[in-house]
Amino acid sequence: MNSEGAVDDSYFDYCPWDFVRRASDEQRAAQAALQKRLTAGGASLGPCTYVSPAAGVFTDVLRLGENSYIAGHAYVTGEVTAGADCSVNPYATVRGRIALGDGVRIGAHSSLLGFNHGFAPDRPVHRQPLTRKGITVGDDVWIGSNVVVLDGVTIGDHCVVGAGAVVTKDLQPWTIAAGNPARQLRDRRGQGAASTGQFGHVGERREEGQLRSPVTAGGPGDAVARFADRARGQAADLLARAWNADTGRYSDQPGAPETVRAHCDAVEIADLLLRSHPPQLSAAEHAERLRALQDPDSGLVPELAADGGPGVLPAPAADGWIDDGTAEYHVLSVSYALDLLGSRFAHPVHVVRRMTADRLVARLDSLPWRTRAWSAGAWVDCWATGAHRNLELDAEAGAPGALEALFGWLGTRVAPWTGMWGEAVSPAAGRLQLVNGYYRLTRGSFAQFGLQVPYPERVVDTVLAHGGDPRWFAAGRQNACNVLDVAHPLWLAGQQTRHRAAEARAWAEEQLAQALERWRDGAGFGFGPPGEGGSGPGRDPGLQGTEMWLAIIWLLADLAGVSDRLGYRPRGVHRPEPARSTAPRIPAQPIPIDNSL
């Protein structure tokens, strides 16, 4: 790693999972050229894949699903197909006819040998014929380091193969196996002792009498898979429920006002569950309706007027900004909905583009960090997202130096003892404003631009302390905002540190089990718990609650290690990957020089 936080090319040979998040423009261009050569030879590579230039890839057939990678010094030949989220780690060998499902992990120095030599005594070995039965590996399989899998073997879904094993016979689904030859030790769904030693990590074991998740049948993986199947089967009816055929617009739930956000939520839900656009209109019609709502002068999107057209925005403030919380959130919701529809804003976000660095810093200084950190973080989220969209349209992000000023301000105002901005802690609300503001701020800035957050260990400490507050997280008290605003920071910081990872996973598993029970057939999720009033759309199921909880469930499931069982991955507002591959240069670990917020 150099002094500016960039990494050498060889780093990705051994840590390929970091390529999407940390590669420079030059490294991305080199990878694109390598993949172009591979695809010219007939390979098929999904989005967010990585093939190390130090790997020996000489295949007749190569198929890699999205988010899959081949690390440095791996040796890959023959006919190799892999689903999504697969990894071939350094020095692994994958040869012959190999078929991998989704979520397969192949440890370093392991060998999958989908062919064999004869060894009859009538001729030398090098003249013996080859046979190819092939190897099939199911979904959600972990093959540890230094494993050998022989030709003709099928490894079922959800298996774990311990380090150093030699697999000579088929393994049934859910098998945990080890040894030479490999033999079944137990069923992965059982409540056995902690896994240690040959599996490469220490597992977690709940002591007798501890609280157990309500969704235990088959474990959380089976629970989220059942939920996802159920939700997908009802998605079309859920969207139709919110569609007003007379006006041609969406409302959050029947009888509620028709809103811009409801339309965007419908697009996100359809993408998650149907992998398509909402069936009420064509993708082009959805995009055109949303694009037409943008105010060409400010670049903001006001709420709908009574006739369904764009509403009226308030007058600008002295610094040129237009203070309208709904329109500010629409910078996120509308632009990401357009992404999913294959479109973009019609105009730059001019209120962002016109803001000078001096005015931006003055606005940041004036935000209510001490009392309403969520509002302050939401403003940063809007401004940074507008800057991202402007760059997407090949416009200036803001006035010269403004985007750098944003990250410079954030880097010098972060509190090293919490990893957050502001001190909005009170006896009445605890850390609620502080943590919720952190989510909104980092979503639009560090996460969206692919930058590492400062002080990730302190972030985890602060968020876990807040996540244990029964006022917000006891069973039956959660709402979508509060759970999201813990799950996302834990996930984001968890990309940089394993600090208290077991506690984060336990919290996620508990919240996941409770979240799955909130689904209402034919209607989706409510934003808050039964009986909740106050902020947000309330307890009744609708599009906003459904969109948010679907994303939350993915985050919780990923923290729990079972997100692959959902069959969807957020691609909109709550997408886990950065939205941009370039960002301003800031110090890898900001040094606070002013903590007077």
Side-chain angles (χ1 to χ4, degrees):
M1 182 179 294
N2 65 32
S3 60
E4 294 180 340
V7 295
D8 297 331
D9 292 346
S10 61
Y11 173 83
F12 298 115
D13 295 336
Y14 300 95
C15 303
W17 50 86
D18 270 352
F19 184 84
V20 170
R21 185 166 58 93
R22 301 188 62 182
S24 67
D25 286 346
E26 293 77 11
Q27 289 163 335
R28 294 178 194 279
Q31 177 64 195
L34 171 60
Q35 294 200 13
K36 185 177 181 180
R37 292 195 297 272
L38 291 171
T39 54
S44 174
L45 306 175
C48 299
T49 51
Y50 175 78
V51 179
S52 169
V57 179
F58 309 105
T59 50
D60 300 314
V61 174
L62 177 62
R63 302 283 186 272
L64 286 184
E66 62 179 334
N67 303 304
S68 296
Y69 56 80
I70 298 174
H73 311 290
Y75 183 27
V76 182
T77 70
E79 301 174 8
V80 178
T81 62
D85 300 298
C86 291
S87 61
V88 179
N89 279 295
Y91 298 99
T93 296
V94 180
R95 302 190 63 197
R97 185 177 296 116
I98 310 293
L100 309 177
D102 293 333
V104 176
R105 292 287 185 264
I106 300 174
H109 298 278
S110 287
S111 297
L112 276 65
L113 305 174
F115 66 97
N116 207 349
H117 280 279
F119 51 90
D122 61 336
R123 70 189 75 178
V125 169
H126 75 276
R127 296 187 183 278
Q128 295 282 346
L130 293 179
T131 59
R132 292 189 179 186
K133 297 179 182 177
I135 294 171
T136 301
V137 180
D139 297 336
D140 181 36
V141 172
W142 177 17
I143 297 173
S145 296
N146 291 293
V147 170
V148 177
V149 182
L150 299 184
D151 189 36
V153 164
T154 294
I155 298 177
D157 294 346
H158 317 300
C159 286
V160 175
V161 183
V166 178
V167 185
T168 61
K169 296 182 179 179
D170 293 354
L171 297 179
Q172 296 301 309
W174 296 103
T175 296
I176 297 178
N180 181 7
R183 66 188 187 280
Q184 179 174 355
L185 301 182
R186 63 178 181 272
D187 189 296
R188 184 177 159 193
R189 294 165 293 186
Q191 299 295 322
S195 302
T196 59
Q198 65 191 151
F199 293 102
H201 84 294
V202 177
E204 299 169 38
R205 180 175 182 267
R206 286 190 171 132
E207 299 297 333
E208 290 300 323
Q210 283 188 286
L211 179 65
R212 196 174 296 275
S213 164
V215 185
T216 56
D222 281 356
V224 298
R226 288 194 299 269
F227 158 75
D229 287 343
R230 182 179 175 189
R232 273 189 288 270
Q234 299 176 25
D237 290 341
L238 187 153
L239 294 169
R241 174 179 181 264
W243 173 255
N244 186 330
D246 293 332
T247 62
R249 293 187 290 273
Y250 292 94
S251 57
D252 182 69
Q253 51 194 262
E258 295 161 345
T259 63
V260 174
R261 177 163 183 169
H263 195 158
C264 298
D265 288 336
V267 172
E268 296 240 18
I269 292 165
D271 185 77
L272 286 167
L273 297 180
L274 301 177
R275 298 185 180 182
S276 182
H277 56 274
Q280 284 73 33
L281 299 169
S282 70
E285 289 171 325
H286 282 294
E288 187 52 40
R289 289 197 181 191
L290 291 173
R291 281 165 55 88
L293 297 175
Q294 188 183 23
D295 173 46
D297 180 61
S298 68
L300 297 178
V301 180
E303 188 51 273
L304 295 176
D307 63 358
V312 178
L313 291 165
D319 61 3
W321 189 260
I322 296 176
D323 289 298
D324 184 319
T326 299
E328 289 172 0
Y329 189 79
H330 290 163
V331 174
L332 282 64
S333 60
V334 175
S335 67
Y336 274 99
L338 288 171
D339 270 353
L340 299 176
L341 295 166
S343 186
R344 294 178 177 179
F345 269 150
H347 313 283
V349 184
H350 293 298
V351 291
V352 170
R353 192 170 58 87
R354 295 166 186 159
M355 183 165 278
T356 66
D358 288 346
R359 287 184 173 182
L360 173 62
V361 169
R363 167 69 69 149
L364 291 168
D365 286 339
S366 71
L367 294 173
W369 298 102
R370 288 187 180 277
T371 58
R372 291 184 291 116
W374 183 89
S375 297
W379 190 89
V380 173
D381 193 0
C382 170
W383 194 95
T385 302
H388 157 54
R389 295 305 175 187
N390 290 347
L391 291 171
E392 185 179 62
L393 291 170
D394 297 324
E396 290 291 334
L403 187 58
E404 290 76 10
L406 170 69
F407 284 102
W409 191 96
L410 294 174
T412 56
R413 267 56 171 200
V414 62
W417 48 87
T418 63
M420 300 193 176
W421 291 265
E423 299 177 4
V425 179
S426 69
R431 299 171 180 83
L432 185 66
Q433 283 281 331
L434 183 67
V435 173
N436 288 12
Y438 179 88
Y439 160 67
R440 286 298 305 270
L441 183 151
T442 55
R443 193 223 70 85
S445 55
F446 292 89
Q448 186 164 231
F449 281 85
L451 294 170
Q452 293 195 345
V453 296
Y455 308 112
E457 290 81 10
R458 301 293 76 77
V459 171
V460 172
D461 290 340
T462 304
V463 171
L464 285 176
H466 172 57
D469 191 330
R471 291 173 294 181
W472 318 112
F473 300 104
R477 294 188 180 182
Q478 306 97 323
N479 70 32
C481 269
N482 293 345
V483 179
L484 172 65
D485 297 356
V486 169
H488 187 272
L490 286 178
W491 187 92
L492 185 63
Q495 307 309 297
Q496 298 173 223
T497 179
R498 298 298 295 162
H499 180 61
R500 301 177 68 180
E503 294 172 72
R505 177 171 184 153
W507 185 90
E509 288 179 344
E510 183 176 354
Q511 294 296 324
L512 178 61
Q514 295 175 35
L516 296 177
E517 295 177 348
R518 295 177 178 276
W519 179 265
R520 299 270 294 277
D521 284 334
F525 287 109
F527 174 87
E532 182 188 74
S535 62
R539 63 183 177 84
D540 294 327
L543 295 182
Q544 182 177 336
T546 301
E547 183 272 326
M548 292 184 71
W549 280 109
L550 287 173
I552 292 164
I553 284 169
W554 187 91
L555 287 165
L556 295 173
D558 206 57
L559 287 167
V562 295
S563 61
D564 57 301
R565 303 293 306 281
L566 282 168
Y568 68 77
R569 185 182 185 92
R571 301 196 304 138
V573 172
H574 306 297
R575 58 180 291 163
E577 293 84 14
R580 293 206 63 78
S581 60
T582 59
R585 293 179 178 176
I586 63 170
Q589 181 62 72
I591 301 173
I593 61 174
D594 182 354
N595 292 306
S596 60
L597 291 173

